[in-house]
Amino acid sequence: MTLLWIPLLSLIGSIISSMTGKLTRNQSTSLSLLMPFIALCITISFAPAVFSGEEVRETISWIPLLGINIAFRLDGLALLFVFMIITIGILVIFYARYYLSSKDSMPKLYSYLMLFMTAMLGIVMSNNVIQLWFFWELTSISSFLLISYWWYKSEARKGAIMALTITGGGGLALLAGLLIISNIVGSYSLDVILASRELIQSHNLYEVALILVLLGAFTKSAQFPFHFWLPHAMAAPTPVSAYLHSATMVKAGIFLLARFYPALAGTDIWFIIVSLTGMTTLLFGAYVALFKHDLKGLLAYSTISHLGLITLLFGLNTELATVAAIFHIINHATFKASLFMATGIIDHETGTRDMRKINGMWRYMPYTATLAMVAAASMAGVPLLNGFLSKEMFFAETLHQQLLGSMSWIIPVLATIAGAFSVAYSARFIHDVFFNGDPIDLPKEPSEPPRYMRVPIEILVALCLLVGIFPNFIVDDILTSASFAVLGGYVPEFKVSLWHGFNLPLLMSAFAVTGGLFMYTQRRHLFTFQASLPPLNAKKAFDNSIYVMIKWCQRKIGAIENGSLQRYLMLMFLIVLLGAGWPLFEMHELVGTKELTPVSMHSAVGAALLMIGAISTVIWYRTRMVSLLMISVVGLMVSVAFTRFSAPDLALTQLTVEVVTIVLLMLALFFLPQRSPKESSSMRIIRDISISAGLGIVVGSICYALITRPFESISNFFIANAKTGGGGTNVVNVILVDFRGFDTLGEICVLGIAALGISKLLINLPLFMPGSDSEGRPWARERYPILLASISQSLLPLALLVSVYIFLRGHNLPGGGFIAGLITAIAFILQYIAHGSNWISERLTINYRKIIASGLAIALLTGVGSWFFGRPFMTTWFDYFDIPFIGNIELASALVFDLGVYITVVGATLMILAHLGELTANAPKEEVNI
Amino acid sequence: MIQHLTSLPVLLPMLAGILLLMPPCGKNQSLRRFVSVTLSVVTFLISIVLLLKVQADGTQVYAIGDWSAPFGIVLVADPLSTLLTSLTALLGIVCVLYASAGDDAKGSFFHPLVHFLIFGVNGAFLTGDAFNLFVFFEVLLIASYALLMHGGDKKNTRAALQYVIMNLVGSAVFLIALGVLYGVLGTLNMADMAQKVGLLQGDDVYLAKIGGLLLLVVFALKGALLPLHLWLPNTYATAIPIVAALFAIMTKVGVYSMMRVYTLIFGDDAGELAHMAQDWLWWLALATIVMGAVGVLASQDLRKLIANLVIVSVGTLVALVTVQTVEASSAAIYYLVHSTLVTAALFILADLIGRQRGKVADRITVGTPVSQPKLLGTCFIIAAVAVIGMPPLSGFIGKVWLLKSTVNYEYSFIFWPLYLLASLAVLFAVSKAGSTVFWHHQTKFEGKVTDNRSPERIQQERVQPAELAALLILIVSAPLMSIFAGPLSEYAIDAATQLHDFNNNINIILSGDQ
């Protein structure tokens, strides 16, 4: 389990340091350093084994069914990276102790830094590609947090979002690529994937997978044209830049190239994409770096350029080039980290990073200057320093390739030019900052930094020198074992040494150095030339394209979701038309085999009235009262139709529902304008008529097709069992309260909730109340016609009696709780109409909320009652009793359930009525007759 | 009691709704809150017990009224439906707990309505009967409509009206569809319907197809699938956020119904009608993802943004459901749970953030800073990482899983790029929104902001303990779903396997064999 501890310790460190807010800076720093230090010791303990060619593995099961496990492995490549990540991490943490001002939160920075370290360690040690992606994306998140450390600065926020978007986008591509590769080899294990080179490369998805993986690598490693996030990530504090842009974040992409080298490299497409991207980035970065006035900007582009160099080396498809690439990874990490730190000191001491202001620093901080100059010389590739060695190898490898056929000579030439640029910007870094006259109005008086702030730089610069002078002694082991891992178990003969004799690479180096120095001396011309070029601002382009895209999205959304209910409904109807109409055309025969019954006169007249009612409703929809009356005709005809076709229960229900809804609608209409303006254009009317006619035709055809076909259904079961199983002869009612009583329970709930909802909507709702009708006529003087009042009062007991009768007989004859409830409600509605709501509310102080609740409770508890007899919910019970004076009657639990239905219906209807009525009752003027 | 367990996730919320309307809960607010929260917790626990029982003993069929299928209504508790009832109940707890801090007093009947809504949703999840499904759709529709108007203003009432009219039309279509299906098949029990669909002859096939397609229209409307999604963004963005959070489950009801009906009734064994409209659904789902992503980028306030995230997740879910394999369905199940929880969390956060930012509320623009940046910021980052689908939280597993499950599907070459680009859009929009809302302040000087609000006001706007508890329930689910992804994936795969096991489902439901 020791391997697991390496990332785990760093994660623990992240958590610990986030809690050091109360401690002093020194305490916080030393506590934060502890965990990575232990992790480093563990790493070192593994080194001998790895150097001897072993690969250490550990696996913990996580989501075995998906093949996703926590799997770590440590081979030469991983060891190299782990070593770099932790060492430079420790140095950066130490450095940040002196860099951060007292206003900045140290625990936050440390915590994020170590979270980032964890993510990086996870990437390089993963043995499962999903886990690799997991940590890959974790670096995106943690780098977002690090770059936005100074969140109140606009450029920090923007830089962080840009980095996250670009690298996150690349991450998504990477995920897709990894999944495709895993699907090809049938495993998420890196071990398996790396061993399946032929399988992967012969698969027809190889190109797709390769491009996706490379997208991930290139975005992370800031390769052209995805490079532009990197300079903007410089808004982060300098320690963060030193960490992210030397050894970690950007190296993750490079690591990916190295990691998948055994499985993906070696093909033409790999060479074309990787080497061309690398070459472009190398040249572009080196060129732009020269013109940056911001110290960190210069380093940023130099980083881009060096990353391009490493990418190019991987793209060359030769073993030695790969070794050179790995070597340069190490060298770049050391000199770039130290340069960033030196820049941080200069920034810290002078208060600016503008090279046009910072001049002549040699006088103020000679010690720091020496360190920075050594590191910069290494960056330029000056002999005796590590940068020289890997650059020399790079030049040599550009000579050995034959990839462009007869035009292969172009690669070394371009490499030399890029080398010259890198000498030029290194020269600028040294000369401009440390010499070149006097500083120009600096915000601060510069001096040497605190003693210990220089320590990390000293260590790194010492490494640059040691590696540069004694390459074999220092890096041989680790370079060999890393190359061994990348090349898949084969290391070419290579010899890293200072002196290879007079040869072509040395000549190229010489050209690069002299050319670079010459360029620097002639920089004025170059700067004028550069200034005359059209400004190329990738950030602006990025921002603009985002802006354009968002505006486009907003326009589209605004146009589509325009809030028009008509449009939404039209879409809905069109889809219904399509869904229901299309299969109709596939049918061979619409009419079924059943014989048609002859049309009687009554039916014909009824159907005609129904149609007239429906059409009139639409024609007069702008005169709402007329329209409402026409709807009632429709309703009435439907109930007549039910009677005609022997469905008395339905007819009764329809009739009572009709009465209640029409009255309630009339009440509602009172608050609405009585006429609505003409709003539809003629085109719109044609469109709407077509849609509705289409729907009518389709639904009508479907109905016709259905009723002309023989029909077999479960209804026979209901008819057979209604009496014996449900204890009632009215099958409809038995279905409602027994067979499908659960539906009824749901529906009365709907009714109850509707009443609650309406009450909720209407409470305290201020509504305009017209004082007259639409023609300007005042409402009738006689608010409550005496005749109606007296008749309705005498009707009330009668109506109640009827409803009781209808209720009781429901189980065997047409009727039941629902209908009875509506009849009761209608009786009360009549009272409201006749006397006004004030009159009623004085006499009838009923809490409808409680009524509804108790109705529902009765229904529910009746259902629950069957539990006590060991039966499922709503199992009914009935029996026949001989009761004195009354005779033999049936008692059924369904009747109690029906009582619940009855009460709910009454409560809900009256609640709605009362609330609508109350609205008018509170009118400031004299009470309005409703 | 134990033999009635299957009915309890449905009946308990209804009982809760009734109790909360009755004395003494009807008048006494603090008692009502207490009872509401307690009962929601009980509902959740009962759902979990049922889930465990189903896991131990297999699918449970409960014949209401002792009338067995196909004649009576049966409730069917299988791994999928119990998972979803548990999820609903959990959201219920969050909702009533959060609202108890004050939102419930913005209108009447909040608590009973929430429980009635859960009644409807759980009923829809558990029922094995097509008409009963309609009834529960009605219950949840009417309850959701009432809740939408809670604490509402003009804008919100307008959106709610559109919602209810669209859904009423939907109900009418649902009825027509059921009428057609009953007319052809002569039965309403879904398993029985499934059996009969395969035996249809001649033109009856097309009539059944009409019924099936119309059902699909209804489910697509509920689930907010393009082009029937138009009601959603405004409705969700203008409802009070805690209601919107609860509604995170509502679109899932549509998706779930699609899953049920199109694997059982019109699944592999439906003869000529097997997987009808699958192509249509697939392309519409992809279009929904694109539309959602466009909406996400266009959003100018947090709630609208989250509403559009819901649309993206609906598109993703429907795409997965359409693939009709165990792998894709299991990915869908995991993703469904994840997206529901994280969307709800985001809605709650949008509410808290909006409250603390004063006039700018939840608009994604420069404004007053929130008064509890650490708490809200941390929660927001967690929810954002989860919704974007980045490691280490649940979204990442959902993303990997759904891509993995479609890797061999013939149309993945178009699904993957679309989905990944949509993910990128979400990544950009959410990170932009977060950094603007939390970091971009009106007056900025080295991180210190002058705040002219009175201390009392700030105190008032602080996150209340009940709200914090509700928020944390949702927030911790993201890491938990990731840590316990092992057992969860096992569960989801099991649920999906049973969902696709046609014969077994039919046998269990129709004969009670287990």
Side-chain angles (χ1 to χ4, degrees):
Chain A
M1 283 301 107
T2 31
L3 208 51
L4 178 70
W5 278 104
I6 298 175
L8 203 58
L9 277 170
S10 135
L11 183 66
I12 295 170
S14 166
I15 296 165
I16 291 180
S17 49
S18 72
M19 294 185 290
T20 55
K22 295 249 157 55
L23 305 180
T24 66
R25 289 165 84 86
N26 281 337
Q27 284 168 333
S28 175
T29 309
S30 28
L31 209 59
S32 301
L33 282 172
L34 187 66
M35 291 298 153
F37 189 73
I38 301 174
L40 184 64
C41 295
I42 296 177
T43 314
I44 291 171
S45 77
F46 279 111
V50 175
F51 287 157
S52 67
E54 245 183 85
E55 286 174 12
V56 192
R57 288 186 173 73
E58 260 166 37
T59 307
I60 303 166
S61 165
W62 182 21
I63 320 175
L65 287 173
L66 300 187
I68 302 174
N69 292 312
I70 302 172
F72 287 108
R73 74 176 216 167
L74 194 68
D75 60 1
L77 183 68
L79 182 76
L80 167 66
F81 270 92
V82 170
F83 203 70
M84 276 192 337
I85 291 163
I86 300 181
T87 322
I88 298 193
I90 289 174
L91 295 179
V92 165
I93 290 172
F94 188 80
Y95 174 81
R97 149 77 184 83
Y98 297 97
Y99 179 86
L100 282 190
S101 74
S102 52
K103 283 176 299 198
D104 298 323
S105 159
M106 203 141 72
K108 187 168 122 183
L109 184 76
Y110 282 165
S111 165
Y112 290 168
L113 266 177
M114 265 189 274
L115 182 68
F116 186 83
M117 187 191 283
T118 314
M120 279 306 299
L121 290 171
I123 292 181
V124 300
M125 289 167 65
S126 286
N127 195 18
N128 178 301
V129 287
I130 300 297
Q131 182 198 341
L132 187 148
W133 184 75
F134 176 106
F135 287 112
W136 181 274
E137 291 290 81
L138 216 53
T139 60
S140 297
I141 298 176
S142 44
S143 68
F144 175 85
L145 294 172
L146 282 170
I147 298 170
S148 63
Y149 177 78
W150 284 320
W151 49 268
Y152 42 85
K153 291 184 181 171
S154 164
E155 65 266 25
R157 289 196 300 269
K158 287 194 174 135
I161 291 178
M162 197 191 283
L164 182 68
T165 311
I166 303 293
T167 58
L172 291 171
L174 174 65
L175 173 64
L178 293 176
L179 284 172
I180 293 175
I181 292 174
S182 321
N183 192 46
I184 294 173
V185 304
S187 168
Y188 290 119
S189 166
L190 255 179
D191 288 335
V192 182
I193 290 173
L194 296 187
S196 316
R197 178 196 170 106
E198 281 79 25
L199 186 64
I200 295 170
Q201 298 196 351
S202 60
H203 198 276
N204 54 10
L205 281 177
Y206 163 68
E207 282 84 7
V208 180
L210 176 68
I211 290 172
L212 288 170
V213 171
L214 289 181
L215 268 176
F218 289 169
T219 47
K220 204 69 149 186
S221 285
Q223 296 296 297
F224 185 85
F226 308 110
H227 63 280
F228 54 91
W229 67 265
L230 196 145
H232 294 284
M234 293 297 148
T238 302
V240 173
S241 308
Y243 198 38
L244 261 56
H245 304 133
S246 65
T248 56
M249 173 101 163
V250 293
K251 288 286 166 63
I254 299 292
F255 170 81
L256 200 70
L257 291 180
R259 183 84 288 175
F260 284 93
Y261 191 86
L264 297 178
T267 56
D268 284 345
I269 179 168
W270 166 281
F271 157 70
I272 291 173
I273 299 178
V274 178
S275 64
L276 284 187
T277 309
M279 182 53 103
T280 317
T281 314
L282 166 67
L283 280 168
F284 176 81
Y287 176 76
V288 175
L290 184 56
F291 302 102
K292 288 288 154 189
H293 299 302
D294 177 10
L295 267 176
K296 275 176 88 178
L298 184 149
L299 291 182
Y301 277 97
S302 136
T303 302
I304 293 174
S305 155
H306 279 275
L307 292 168
L309 188 154
I310 301 173
T311 306
L312 172 59
L313 279 170
F314 276 117
L316 288 178
N317 268 346
T318 65
E319 285 105 3
L320 278 174
T322 310
V323 177
I326 297 166
F327 191 29
H328 199 67
I329 291 173
I330 306 173
N331 297 336
H332 177 248
T334 42
F335 68 68
K336 197 47 73 62
S338 53
L339 279 173
F340 268 116
M341 290 183 193
T343 307
I345 291 180
I346 294 164
D347 183 10
H348 198 254
E349 294 303 317
T350 61
T352 176
R353 299 194 312 241
D354 191 334
M355 274 188 279
R356 285 166 299 190
K357 291 182 181 170
I358 312 168
N359 297 316
M361 284 300 126
W362 175 258
R363 259 173 295 144
Y364 299 96
M365 41 177 95
Y367 198 77
T368 310
T370 315
L371 291 172
M373 282 192 284
V374 174
S378 175
M379 173 162 80
V382 171
L384 292 184
L385 293 163
N386 58 356
F388 170 73
L389 297 175
S390 46
K391 188 159 277 187
E392 201 80 337
M393 284 170 83
F394 164 59
F395 285 152
E397 282 318 304
T398 57
L399 290 169
H400 291 152
Q401 48 74 35
Q402 293 297 329
L403 294 158
L404 293 182
S406 60
M407 296 302 283
S408 298
W409 59 270
I410 233 169
I411 294 180
V413 172
L414 289 175
T416 316
I417 294 175
F421 272 113
S422 87
V423 171
Y425 66 67
S426 303
R428 180 167 182 220
F429 183 88
I430 296 172
H431 182 254
D432 241 4
V433 174
F434 299 109
F435 307 100
N436 200 19
D438 292 314
I440 303 160
D441 44 81
L442 292 178
K444 274 161 92 178
E445 178 69 18
S447 64
E448 280 288 355
R451 171 69 195 92
Y452 292 104
M453 197 170 177
R454 286 198 310 259
V455 169
I457 310 180
E458 284 162 2
I459 294 173
L460 289 168
V461 167
L463 269 173
C464 286
L465 277 165
L466 282 173
V467 174
I469 299 168
F470 310 106
N472 298 336
F473 181 65
I474 310 281
V475 292
D476 228 13
D477 274 346
I478 196 151
L479 193 54
T480 313
S481 75
S483 308
F484 183 80
V486 174
L487 294 170
Y490 166 78
V491 188
E493 278 296 313
F494 70 89
K495 194 163 181 322
V496 187
S497 61
L498 202 48
W499 183 245
H500 285 282
F502 290 104
N503 54 12
L504 217 44
L506 190 68
L507 187 66
M508 286 163 77
S509 276
F511 269 131
V513 172
T514 47
L517 289 174
F518 177 73
M519 248 188 261
Y520 181 67
T521 53
Q522 301 302 314
R523 63 188 183 279
R524 254 172 251 298
H525 304 291
L526 269 171
F527 274 67
T528 1
F529 172 70
Q530 175 66 16
S532 69
L533 288 178
L536 205 155
N537 191 335
K539 175 178 177 286
K540 260 218 178 96
F542 177 81
D543 283 351
N544 274 343
S545 51
I546 294 271
Y547 178 80
V548 169
M549 185 179 67
I550 286 180
K551 283 290 153 202
W552 183 85
C553 288
Q554 284 171 351
R555 269 202 315 279
K556 284 290 156 215
I557 289 289
I560 296 170
E561 288 168 26
N562 64 351
S564 155
L565 180 63
Q566 282 85 348
R567 167 185 290 193
Y568 299 175
L569 283 176
M570 184 188 76
L571 271 170
M572 170 109 188
F573 285 132
L574 283 177
I575 290 170
V576 169
L577 197 57
L578 191 73
W582 179 34
L584 275 182
F585 286 98
E586 294 179 309
M587 283 175 77
H588 305 286
E589 196 71 56
L590 184 68
V591 188
T593 52
K594 259 195 190 166
E595 219 165 290
L596 301 180
T597 44
V599 183
S600 71
M601 192 60 199
H602 302 106
S603 311
V605 171
L609 277 174
L610 191 65
M611 283 191 267
I612 292 171
I615 293 171
S616 312
T617 308
V618 179
I619 291 178
W620 278 294
Y621 84 95
R622 293 196 295 120
T623 323
R624 292 181 171 158
M625 202 61 194
V626 179
S627 191
L628 186 62
L629 287 177
M630 292 301 141
I631 292 181
S632 69
V633 172
V634 176
L636 193 66
M637 287 324 294
V638 171
S639 46
V640 170
F642 283 141
T643 327
R644 168 86 176 81
F645 296 107
S646 328
D649 282 278
L650 296 187
L652 270 175
T653 315
Q654 176 68 30
L655 205 61
T656 42
V657 165
E658 199 62 30
V659 172
V660 174
T661 44
I662 295 288
V663 171
L664 290 180
L665 270 174
M666 280 174 70
L667 262 178
L669 276 190
F670 174 71
F671 299 99
L672 299 174
Q674 306 195 350
R675 289 167 176 281
S676 56
K678 191 175 160 83
E679 5 183 62
S680 307
S681 65
S682 308
M683 279 311 286
R684 202 172 247 250
I685 290 175
I686 293 174
R687 180 196 77 184
D688 293 349
I689 288 182
S690 319
I691 294 176
S692 54
L695 275 173
I697 291 168
V698 165
V699 174
S701 309
I702 295 169
C703 289
Y704 196 66
L706 282 173
I707 57 177
T708 52
R709 270 155 225 272
F711 181 53
E712 261 177 56
S713 75
I714 50 170
S715 53
N716 294 332
F717 173 87
F718 296 138
I719 295 168
N721 286 281
K723 179 72 180 161
T724 50
T729 50
N730 179 2
V731 182
V732 174
N733 184 267
V734 178
I735 290 177
L736 283 179
V737 298
D738 195 346
F739 293 121
R740 301 191 66 93
F742 199 47
D743 283 343
T744 311
L745 186 68
E747 288 296 356
I748 57 173
C749 249
V750 171
L751 199 60
I753 299 167
L756 297 179
I758 288 172
S759 135
K760 188 179 174 69
L761 179 68
L762 294 183
I763 286 176
N764 304 327
L765 185 75
L767 282 179
F768 167 74
M769 267 176 289
S772 60
D773 76 351
S774 56
E775 253 88 71
R777 289 173 295 213
W779 302 118
R781 287 257 160 244
E782 190 188 15
R783 288 171 301 170
Y784 310 115
I786 287 292
L787 199 65
L788 181 63
S790 51
I791 292 180
S792 67
Q793 251 171 308
S794 50
L795 265 179
L796 181 63
L798 215 61
L800 291 180
L801 218 62
V802 170
S803 68
V804 171
Y805 172 67
I806 291 275
F807 172 76
L808 285 177
R809 74 174 205 160
H811 216 43
N812 294 307
L813 291 165
F818 196 80
I819 301 171
L822 285 171
I823 292 176
T824 309
I826 292 169
F828 279 104
I829 288 173
L830 194 62
Q831 304 306 312
Y832 269 92
I833 295 174
H835 300 284
S837 59
N838 282 1
W839 188 87
I840 301 282
S841 55
E842 277 162 25
R843 285 160 183 79
L844 207 64
T845 46
I846 298 179
N847 186 333
Y848 297 113
R849 169 173 55 81
K850 286 182 204 159
I851 302 253
I852 295 174
S854 27
L856 290 174
I858 291 172
L860 179 68
L861 294 179
T862 314
V864 172
S866 50
W867 287 357
F868 299 101
F869 302 94
R871 294 305 186 89
F873 181 68
M874 290 194 89
T875 309
T876 48
W877 161 91
F878 63 91
D879 209 342
Y880 300 88
F881 295 93
D882 210 4
I883 295 175
F885 306 113
I886 297 178
N888 190 356
I889 66 155
E890 179 196 359
L891 290 178
S893 64
L895 201 66
V896 186
F897 178 76
D898 224 10
L899 182 68
V901 175
Y902 172 84
I903 294 175
T904 313
V905 170
V906 173
T909 320
L910 290 182
M911 186 169 192
I912 298 169
L913 184 76
H915 276 287
L916 275 172
E918 243 164 55
L919 282 177
T920 57
N922 298 335
K925 290 184 294 181
E926 55 179 294
E927 192 173 313
V928 183
N929 183 5
I930 44 164
Chain B
M1 236 11 202
I2 192 79
Q3 73 268 31
H4 305 299
L5 191 62
T6 313
S7 65
L8 288 178
V10 185
L11 298 181
L12 252 175
M14 182 180 171
L15 181 70
I18 294 170
L19 283 180
L20 288 165
L21 287 171
M22 297 262 227
C25 299
K27 278 266 175 274
N28 184 338
Q29 191 184 51
S30 48
L31 180 70
R32 188 163 63 229
R33 284 173 176 170
F34 175 75
V35 171
S36 176
V37 173
T38 313
L39 286 175
S40 67
V41 173
V42 174
T43 309
F44 175 68
L45 292 178
I46 289 282
S47 298
I48 292 289
V49 173
L50 177 61
L51 184 146
L52 294 174
K53 183 169 164 56
V54 168
Q55 258 207 317
D57 302 343
T59 300
Q60 303 288 310
V61 178
Y62 188 81
I64 289 176
D66 220 0
W67 299 106
S68 58
F71 308 108
I73 295 166
V74 290
L75 298 179
V76 183
D78 66 0
L80 178 57
S81 56
T82 48
L83 176 70
L84 292 180
T85 51
S86 309
L87 179 66
T88 312
L90 183 67
L91 270 190
I93 300 179
V94 169
C95 179
V96 290
L97 194 61
Y98 185 89
S100 293
D103 273 353
D104 57 354
K106 288 179 181 163
S108 40
F109 309 129
F110 182 85
H111 289 284
L113 286 171
V114 171
H115 287 276
F116 281 129
L117 182 76
I118 297 172
F119 166 60
V121 174
N122 278 356
F125 285 143
L126 284 175
T127 188
D129 184 281
F131 188 80
N132 198 234
L133 181 67
F134 168 77
V135 171
F136 281 116
F137 264 53
E138 293 296 285
V139 174
L140 65 90
L141 165 67
I142 196 79
S144 66
Y145 180 49
L147 280 172
L148 271 184
M149 296 180 309
H150 186 80
D153 51 11
K154 213 158 100 189
K155 229 165 101 190
N156 149 300
T157 312
R158 183 186 148 92
L161 182 72
Q162 296 198 342
Y163 169 81
V164 81
I165 292 180
M166 293 287 286
N167 277 290
L168 282 177
V169 174
S171 299
V173 176
F174 201 159
L175 265 188
I176 296 176
L178 287 178
V180 174
L181 285 173
Y182 184 69
V184 185
L185 304 171
T187 184
L188 287 169
N189 179 284
M190 290 198 242
D192 200 29
M193 289 167 90
Q195 240 182 359
K196 301 239 158 80
V197 161
L199 306 172
L200 286 178
Q201 299 283 331
D203 280 345
D204 283 355
V205 171
Y206 300 108
L207 285 172
K209 189 171 180 182
I210 292 175
L213 288 177
L214 288 182
L215 272 188
L216 194 63
V217 174
V218 180
F219 299 152
L221 175 72
K222 265 277 154 316
L225 190 71
L226 191 96
L228 299 175
H229 71 288
L230 291 163
W231 57 270
L232 189 141
N234 268 325
T235 309
Y236 279 39
T238 53
I240 67 164
I242 187 59
V243 169
L246 181 64
F247 279 22
I249 196 73
M250 299 275 284
T251 51
K252 311 304 191 282
V253 180
V255 175
Y256 169 83
S257 309
M258 256 182 230
M259 256 176 163
R260 273 282 171 231
V261 170
Y262 288 86
T263 49
L264 190 61
I265 306 181
F266 300 107
D268 292 334
D269 297 75
E272 274 187 65
L273 294 180
H275 309 303
M276 64 172 186
Q278 193 179 13
D279 283 351
W280 280 93
L281 267 186
W282 172 256
W283 297 112
L284 285 178
L286 297 196
T288 309
I289 296 177
V290 174
M291 195 71 213
V294 171
V296 164
L297 286 174
S299 299
Q300 285 162 324
D301 59 65
L302 281 180
R303 290 191 284 163
K304 201 61 166 271
L305 177 82
I306 305 163
N308 280 303
L309 288 173
V310 173
I311 293 180
V312 175
S313 73
V314 166
T316 313
L317 275 172
V318 175
L320 287 175
V321 170
T322 316
V323 173
Q324 288 284 350
T325 60
V326 172
E327 292 81 35
S329 294
S330 52
I333 291 167
Y334 184 91
Y335 185 82
L336 189 155
V337 177
H338 146 75
S339 68
T340 307
L341 292 171
V342 72
T343 322
L346 281 169
F347 270 120
I348 288 186
L349 276 169
D351 187 35
L352 294 170
I353 292 168
R355 195 165 81 194
Q356 295 194 352
R357 281 177 88 220
K359 254 200 306 215
V360 287
D362 65 336
R363 278 200 294 283
I364 303 168
T365 173
V366 191
T368 337
V370 295
S371 43
Q372 291 172 289
K374 264 200 181 144
L375 173 71
L376 294 181
T378 313
C379 289
F380 187 85
I381 286 186
I382 293 176
V385 166
V387 82
I388 294 167
M390 280 188 138
L393 304 176
S394 53
F396 133 78
I397 289 166
K399 182 181 282 177
V400 171
W401 197 348
L402 74 90
L403 289 175
K404 171 185 154 62
S405 71
T406 51
V407 72
N408 288 320
Y409 188 61
E410 52 179 331
Y411 294 123
S412 283
F413 71 92
I414 179 111
F415 172 60
W416 278 31
L418 280 184
Y419 174 73
L420 291 173
L421 283 176
S423 292
L424 186 59
V426 171
L427 165 78
F428 175 78
V430 173
S431 56
K432 182 94 204 283
S435 80
T436 308
V437 166
F438 284 101
W439 290 339
H440 203 176
H441 300 155
Q442 256 150 2
T443 32
K444 47 188 192 243
F445 175 69
E446 296 283 302
K448 283 183 196 62
V449 184
T450 48
D451 196 336
N452 47 16
R453 284 172 296 179
S454 66
E456 299 84 54
R457 173 103 189 266
I458 290 177
Q459 194 56 38
Q460 231 174 35
E461 287 166 348
R462 288 179 74 83
V463 181
Q464 308 295 316
E467 291 171 334
L468 184 64
L471 176 62
L472 287 183
I473 290 177
L474 295 172
I475 291 289
V476 298
S477 72
L480 287 182
M481 277 189 73
S482 173
I483 294 170
F484 296 106
L488 283 175
S489 66
E490 223 170 285
Y491 189 91
I493 291 172
D494 181 39
T497 314
Q498 296 205 26
L499 179 72
H500 286 275
D501 191 346
F502 180 79
N503 290 327
N504 190 37
N505 284 325
I506 301 282
N507 284 342
I508 290 175
I509 297 168
L510 288 184
S511 59
D513 281 349
Q514 284 172 28

